[in-house]
Amino acid sequence: MSDLRAVMTASYRGLDPGTARFFRSLGLHPGSEFSAAAAALTGASGTEARRLLERLRRANLVERPHVDRYRLHDLVRLYVVERVRAEDGPDAVSESIGRLARWYTHAAARAQLAEHPHFPVVPGGGAPQELPDFTSLEEALAWFETERTNLLAVTEAAFEHGHHETAWRLPASVYPLFEVHRHWRSWRDLHTVGLRAAENAGDAFGLARNHLGMGDAQWLLGDLGAAADHYESALEADREAGDPWVEGFALRQLGVVAWQRGERGPDAVGHVERSHAVFCEAGERRGEAMSLLSLADFGADLGRWEEALGHCRTAVDAFEEIGAEWSTAWARCSLGRILTGTGRAWEAVPEYRAAIAVFDRHEDADSRSVALLGLGEAHAVLGEAARARQAWGSALDYLRDHDDPRVPETEERMRALDV
């Protein structure tokens, strides 16, 4: 240990002042690996940061495990943090963390818009000049998967150093990416920090957005009680914030949660109808369509097929009109279910296949499994046992890997095909 420290000290003292300052800043990055974010942390340009990183790599102070990915050995990181405290002081630490958190917030918002262009990101002002330019959905999704653990680490660091406005904005701007790839527990952890940050900042809008996101995370994790509490809290905070997007989706989700609890009375439907009215008044087309989609699902559950079909077709048309590809795919799954229920399973098959193609492009395996279950049902109704078995078998591969509660029912349906 003493020999390693002596080597690090000698290498560090051999650096010029600018490179040494850059090196000290790297030790403040809370993630295990970093790339262009190093430029945000240090204030250097991306080109200059890469040049300095390569210089440090040649001095064996920084490792490069992958192309354009760097990291510090744990012992080196401890040494660097020690030098930061001795030479730069606490103000420099906080400023660097603030720059890094703002960079990640704006970069993540860009990735989010590439995946879901109709989601209202709120990264705030002061966008850094050098941000990733995602030319495709695939690039954005790959960036998210690479940086996902850093997003949580940076949010926590921003909160700890008092950058509360940034710490609530990052979760509020990026959480659908966590939804699509089923990182639901990380999503919940992200909003735990976001809620504390918004509360410390005294920001009602930040509270409303983070309560809404936390409600969605708890809903997907199966805790309907916690989800409903967060949706109610989102509405309460939004009374001061006055954001119709939050109000509309919190109301819609309260209706959906009540319905899933078996409450088939007017309250659940009333929540969704109120959400539809809020969205219509605000001109929020995707919200309008999402509310109609919920009403279509309710109608299908009650066997009101024609009513459900009308709501669903209107939702599909609205999603297509605004170019909401992923939402259109979800609506096609509902449409496929309704068409199967009304005796038109042959029309349901292409709807499910179109949805599956979109989910594949978005690398959304969870939604793909839902579409495969519906496709299998349509084929079964048509008497196409082999195709039904193929669709259900593909869905089961994913569901079993995630201990999904739908596994026993799907297995039973496959056994029934053999009978």
Side-chain angles (χ1 to χ4, degrees):
M1 180 71 173
S2 58
D3 290 342
L4 178 59
R5 182 178 181 81
V7 171
M8 286 190 291
T9 300
S11 298
Y12 177 70
R13 288 177 177 171
L15 300 175
D16 64 83
T19 305
R21 184 168 55 252
F22 178 85
F23 180 53
R24 291 196 301 274
S25 295
L26 295 181
L28 303 177
H29 193 294
S32 58
E33 292 183 4
F34 46 83
S35 57
L41 185 67
T42 62
S45 69
T47 301
E48 178 69 3
R50 288 183 178 88
R51 185 181 67 81
L52 293 172
L53 282 165
E54 284 303 305
R55 180 180 296 175
L56 292 169
R57 185 178 69 85
R58 289 192 296 272
N60 296 315
L61 291 170
V62 169
E63 300 172 351
R64 189 179 68 185
H66 311 289
V67 175
D68 199 35
R69 299 295 292 176
Y70 300 87
R71 69 186 178 201
L72 275 66
H73 187 280
D74 289 344
L75 293 177
V76 175
R77 184 185 297 274
L78 290 173
Y79 178 80
V80 175
V81 172
E82 179 183 297
R83 300 317 312 154
V84 170
R85 289 172 177 165
E87 299 182 40
D88 299 307
D91 290 344
V93 173
S94 180
E95 289 172 9
S96 292
I97 293 296
R99 282 197 301 270
L100 181 69
R102 284 190 294 275
W103 186 89
Y104 267 107
T105 302
H106 283 274
R110 284 193 173 195
Q112 178 57 72
L113 289 174
E115 190 275 331
H116 188 344
H118 298 91
F119 184 78
V121 297
V122 286
Q129 290 186 348
E130 297 198 35
L131 288 166
D133 186 17
F134 302 113
T135 59
S136 68
L137 171 63
E138 291 74 19
E139 277 188 18
L141 294 176
W143 180 90
F144 168 72
E145 284 301 330
T146 300
E147 298 288 356
R148 175 171 49 85
T149 56
N150 283 343
L151 294 177
L152 179 56
V154 167
T155 303
E156 291 173 337
F159 175 81
E160 290 167 1
H161 287 85
H163 299 287
H164 298 134
E165 279 291 328
T166 304
W168 75 252
R169 287 179 181 277
L170 199 158
S173 293
V174 76
Y175 70 76
L177 284 168
F178 284 81
E179 176 183 2
V180 167
H181 289 174
R182 203 177 174 123
H183 301 302
W184 299 340
R185 287 178 175 79
S186 296
W187 174 10
R188 179 185 58 195
D189 294 342
L190 194 68
H191 280 302
T192 298
V193 182
L195 284 169
R196 292 166 61 199
E199 187 173 350
N200 284 6
D203 195 305
F205 179 58
L207 280 171
R209 286 294 298 261
N210 277 277
H211 273 301
L212 182 62
M214 178 66 95
D216 287 347
Q218 298 285 21
W219 172 58
L220 287 171
L221 286 167
D223 193 338
L224 299 185
D229 289 343
H230 282 289
Y231 294 138
E232 292 284 6
S233 295
L235 287 174
E236 183 179 349
D238 195 59
R239 291 188 184 99
E240 179 181 342
D243 184 80
W245 187 87
V246 171
E247 181 184 5
F249 275 105
L251 285 169
R252 172 182 174 266
Q253 285 301 103
L254 281 171
V256 169
V257 167
W259 195 266
Q260 288 182 333
R261 286 170 155 175
E263 300 171 19
R264 297 294 190 259
D267 287 348
V269 175
H271 279 311
V272 179
E273 289 176 339
R274 284 170 56 203
S275 80
H276 184 256
V278 169
F279 287 134
C280 287
E281 185 177 352
E284 171 53 60
R285 293 299 310 283
R286 180 176 175 273
E288 289 181 44
M290 291 297 289
S291 295
L292 287 174
L293 196 58
S294 293
L295 292 175
D297 289 335
F298 292 178
D301 287 344
L302 297 174
R304 298 174 182 169
W305 297 111
E306 290 307 314
E307 173 188 313
L309 186 61
H311 285 318
C312 197
R313 287 201 186 279
T314 303
V316 170
D317 290 344
F319 288 138
E320 289 186 325
E321 183 180 326
I322 64 174
E325 181 183 63
W326 185 85
S327 299
T328 303
W330 254 111
R332 289 193 186 283
C333 290
S334 292
L335 183 56
R337 176 195 175 200
I338 295 165
L339 289 169
T340 302
T342 54
R344 287 177 277 180
W346 67 90
E347 294 181 39
V349 169
E351 299 294 341
Y352 284 121
R353 293 201 180 280
I356 289 168
V358 171
F359 295 143
D360 282 343
R361 202 171 89 79
H362 286 251
E363 300 176 15
D364 183 357
D366 196 72
S367 298
R368 183 178 187 271
S369 70
V370 173
L372 283 167
L373 291 176
L375 178 62
E377 175 66 18
H379 282 308
V381 169
L382 291 170
E384 299 168 348
R387 290 180 176 178
R389 186 177 293 105
Q390 181 181 23
W392 284 340
S394 296
L396 275 172
D397 289 341
Y398 173 82
L399 298 176
R400 286 171 178 149
D401 287 343
H402 292 83
D403 296 323
D404 194 285
R406 291 169 290 186
V407 168
E409 179 185 357
T410 306
E411 290 175 336
E412 179 60 31
R413 305 210 67 182
M414 288 188 71
R415 286 192 291 270
L417 286 175
D418 297 330
V419 175

